[in-house]
Amino acid sequence: QKEVEQNSGPLSVPEGAIASLNCTYSDRGSQSFFWYRQYSGKSPELIMFIYSNGDKEDGRFTAQLNKASQYVSLLIRDSQPSDSATYLCAVEGSARQLTFGSGTQLTVLP
Amino acid sequence: EAGVTQFPSHSVIEKGQTVTLRCDPISGHDNLYWYRRVMGKEIKFLLHFVKESKQDESGMPNNRFLAERTGGTYSTLKVQPAELEDSGVYFCASSQARSGANVLTFGAGSRLTVL
């Protein structure tokens, strides 16, 4: 079992729709959870992080964390073509390093 | 504020040659990380510096890889001798965090192609 698992996609949604990205992790001792966005050939850039159970909203983005289920998700509301990218879920363990999932490729269709 | 800078952006070498990748972290960031993404795989941790000290090098694949961070500023990652399976994108990241969520800022990566 991979430490951090994401649906590899690709995921396609129409412009204006909600995109839902999911991630599960295996280490129950994980502290913080991150969503990064990576455009092709570019560096991963942080969208948001969450460390408490529940929802955290930032603009069109909402991260949801359920530690009991070892599950974290990212919702993108009013998706735009510029949101088309690979979304990386990362989990911080006790050693302060991040473990990444393989990423979900999102395409927002105009 | 300048971001994390990596050099070179792309390097093409032959098997058996040596390559040195450089990373300049954000000024004041004590934590410096090297990660690697091999084609089709997830980004994998290589090692972690705190200032000039290696905090964790459990992800280094073998002794052909040598990382240094002299003076606690920039870091280099040397691959000697390079093998075909070393091809991939090498990312450097830095962070300031000593507590709380460890938010990493990534560089643009150094793409290594070993022929």
Side-chain angles (χ1 to χ4, degrees):
Chain A
Q1 181 191 8
K2 286 186 178 180
E3 294 182 56
V4 179
E5 293 215 44
Q6 295 182 250
N7 291 333
S8 58
L11 173 66
S12 293
V13 300
E15 184 174 356
I18 295 175
S20 177
L21 305 161
N22 305 315
C23 174
T24 58
Y25 60 94
S26 60
D27 183 1
R28 284 195 172 274
S30 299
Q31 306 289 317
S32 303
F33 307 85
F34 302 79
W35 284 100
Y36 282 84
R37 176 176 62 197
Q38 186 177 24
Y39 294 109
S40 181
K42 303 294 185 181
S43 60
E45 55 178 337
L46 181 72
I47 297 173
M48 62 192 306
F49 65 89
I50 186 169
Y51 49 79
S52 299
N53 275 326
D55 295 358
K56 179 181 179 182
E57 186 175 318
D58 184 359
R60 296 186 295 111
F61 299 94
T62 299
Q64 299 174 317
L65 174 61
N66 183 327
K67 289 187 178 181
S69 301
Q70 295 173 249
Y71 173 89
V72 58
S73 66
L74 179 70
L75 300 178
I76 307 174
R77 289 182 300 281
D78 189 23
S79 296
Q80 302 296 309
S82 59
D83 295 326
S84 299
T86 296
Y87 289 79
L88 302 167
C89 172
V91 175
E92 180 185 352
S94 56
R96 303 284 281 161
Q97 58 167 275
L98 299 192
T99 300
F100 284 84
S102 56
T104 298
Q105 186 178 337
L106 172 68
T107 301
V108 180
L109 303 170
Chain B
E1 177 186 72
V4 177
T5 305
Q6 293 188 244
F7 181 83
S9 57
H10 192 187
S11 181
V12 181
I13 62 173
E14 294 191 349
K15 176 182 171 180
Q17 290 186 319
T18 298
V19 64
T20 299
L21 310 177
R22 172 171 170 147
C23 170
D24 287 75
I26 292 173
S27 178
H29 280 194
D30 289 342
N31 294 301
L32 187 150
Y33 299 82
W34 283 98
Y35 283 83
R36 177 175 73 171
R37 186 167 201 168
V38 173
M39 178 78 76
K41 303 284 189 180
E42 64 270 23
I43 296 173
K44 287 273 199 183
F45 167 80
L46 295 178
L47 89 160
H48 170 204
F49 284 99
V50 177
K51 297 184 180 179
E52 67 275 10
S53 300
K54 289 178 185 174
Q55 184 76 11
D56 182 354
E57 53 183 331
S58 61
M60 294 287 261
N62 51 61
N63 59 9
R64 295 185 294 103
F65 289 74
L66 175 64
E68 295 180 326
R69 192 183 182 193
T70 307
T73 54
Y74 71 91
S75 174
T76 58
L77 179 65
K78 180 191 288 188
V79 184
Q80 178 182 30
E83 298 289 344
L84 299 178
E85 65 264 24
D86 301 332
S87 296
V89 181
Y90 290 76
F91 290 103
C92 176
S94 70
S95 74
Q96 197 172 33
R98 296 175 185 85
S99 62
N102 191 16
V103 178
L104 303 190
T105 301
F106 281 82
S110 291
R111 180 176 296 276
L112 174 62
T113 302
V114 183
L115 303 176

